[in-house]
Amino acid sequence: MPENSVSADLQTGSDKMVEWTDFERDTIKDIFSRIEYDVVGPAALARCLVVYPWTQRYFGGFGNLYNAAAIKGNPMVSKHGTTIMHGLDRAVKNLDDIENTYTELSVLHSEKLHVDPDNFKLLADCVTIVVAAQLGKEFTGEVQAAFQKFLAVVVSSLGRQYH
Amino acid sequence: MSLSDKDKAAVRALWSTISKSSDAIGNDALSRMIVVYPQTKIYFSHWPEVIPGSIHIKEHGKKVMGGIELAVSKIDDLKTGLFELSEQHAFKLRVDPGNFKILNHCILVVIATMFPKEFTPEAHVSLDKFLSGVALALAERYR
């Protein structure tokens, strides 16, 4: 399966904890305290559905996804985008144990939703781009590195229960 | 995933807006890349130092964006248009093609920070397709 995104692949064994520097913790918490979940979430999900249209396969019940305008205006997309952000929030509040925090979510995405885990990286990249657009100059290389490390851990944890 | 006429028009339109900032974009994208993906620093071991915003990074950023500008002008046939650049990357520079995707991502992030209004999802998909096409054309002569 070709690599579609560049979020880092993190291999965290169950006996290894992710280590966060103070800068990384502060940066991640700061970003999430500043962004509006019901703005970033819908924008990121809509962007993902436009930029990587095959991801629309998981949203067959969402109605009109016919073009970019329809996707952006789709209330189910918006609602789900916000839900996703609240899911990320759980990881922010449990930075030292994202893996266990996401066990049930991982099972859900694998067993019930049947989402190809490669797609998590695509959405993560769209979240990065939307946050970058919001923060502008403040989204420095160091901030981007911390944010993408966080998303990589999230993506890895979401894929852990697949078998 | 070849470029439609709509994609080409979107890329040309976005380029006309961002090209005046191409030096800044190149500098920021490369500076960002070596920080977010430190493994990419190995390609610059011949510089006295590999740090964001350095004179070397700035100069190299200009070179890279010059390549992007060339690609925009050759958007109808990237493979032919970027033939020489591909030969250079394949035989002289020998950059692992996986890194093209990394730099492309950094370019997209920089454009998002600098041009949030213009970098709509529609512009994003066309630019992403274009940069993927550039990466493919650059890798053409590798083997």
Side-chain angles (χ1 to χ4, degrees), chain A residues 49-85:
Chain A
L49 295 171
V50 170
V51 178
Y52 309 107
W54 54 93
T55 58
Q56 292 171 25
R57 78 189 303 281
Y58 304 111
F59 301 99
F62 274 35
N64 187 2
L65 300 178
Y66 189 61
N67 54 35
I71 290 168
K72 274 185 266 193
N74 187 308
M76 291 181 80
V77 171
S78 294
K79 182 158 175 261
H80 195 65
T82 307
T83 301
I84 289 169
M85 292 310 289

Side-chain angles (χ1 to χ4, degrees), chain A residues 40 44 84-85 88 122-132 147 151:
Chain A
V40 170
I84 289 169
M85 292 310 289
L88 290 180
L122 303 181
L123 179 57
D125 280 352
C126 287
V127 173
T128 298
I129 296 252
V130 170
V131 168
F147 192 65
L151 289 177

Side-chain angles (χ1 to χ4, degrees), chain B:
Chain B
M1 295 196 244
S2 51
L3 294 172
S4 65
D5 289 341
K6 191 171 155 206
D7 289 322
K8 292 178 193 177
V11 169
R12 289 189 178 110
L14 189 63
W15 181 253
S16 72
T17 304
I18 71 177
S19 60
K20 60 188 179 308
S21 307
S22 71
D23 285 358
I25 294 171
N27 180 19
D28 195 342
L30 282 176
S31 296
R32 201 172 278 274
M33 183 185 78
I34 59 172
V35 167
V36 182
Y37 306 96
Q39 70 273 18
T40 57
K41 289 192 288 189
I42 62 121
Y43 291 105
F44 307 109
S45 53
H46 55 288
W47 293 346
E49 53 183 12
V50 188
I51 57 172
S54 71
I55 187 79
H56 297 280
I57 288 273
K58 284 196 172 94
E59 279 170 11
H60 198 67
K62 276 191 195 153
K63 253 188 240 175
V64 169
M65 293 311 286
I68 300 285
E69 185 175 36
L70 173 68
V72 174
S73 76
K74 307 284 184 187
I75 201 168
D76 290 316
D77 189 353
L78 289 171
K79 199 163 99 174
T80 307
L82 299 182
F83 184 86
E84 277 166 30
L85 270 176
S86 180
E87 296 241 306
Q88 187 190 20
H89 283 76
F91 302 121
K92 188 163 168 250
L93 304 172
R94 286 179 289 196
V95 175
D96 188 303
N99 293 290
F100 301 149
K101 238 189 311 236
I102 285 177
L103 181 54
N104 284 345
H105 174 70
C106 291
I107 290 171
L108 293 178
V109 169
V110 169
I111 292 174
T113 65
M114 290 174 66
F115 302 95
K117 282 209 185 75
E118 291 88 344
F119 198 53
T120 60
E122 297 91 318
H124 180 168
V125 62
S126 295
L127 190 64
D128 191 40
K129 286 174 75 177
F130 167 70
L131 290 175
S132 301
V134 170
L136 204 60
L138 275 180
E140 176 65 26
R141 298 295 297 145
Y142 269 63
R143 59 176 176 174

Side-chain angles (χ1 to χ4, degrees), chain A residues 6 24 42 52 57 60 68 73 77 82-83 89 93 114-115 117 121 127 129-130 141 144-145 149 153-154 163:
Chain A
V6 295
E24 286 165 347
Y52 309 107
R57 78 189 303 281
V77 171
T82 307
T83 301
D89 186 76
K93 293 190 158 69
H114 305 295
V115 179
K121 293 181 197 174
V127 173
I129 296 252
V130 170
Q144 181 182 347
K149 178 176 168 177
V153 175
V154 163
H163 62 90

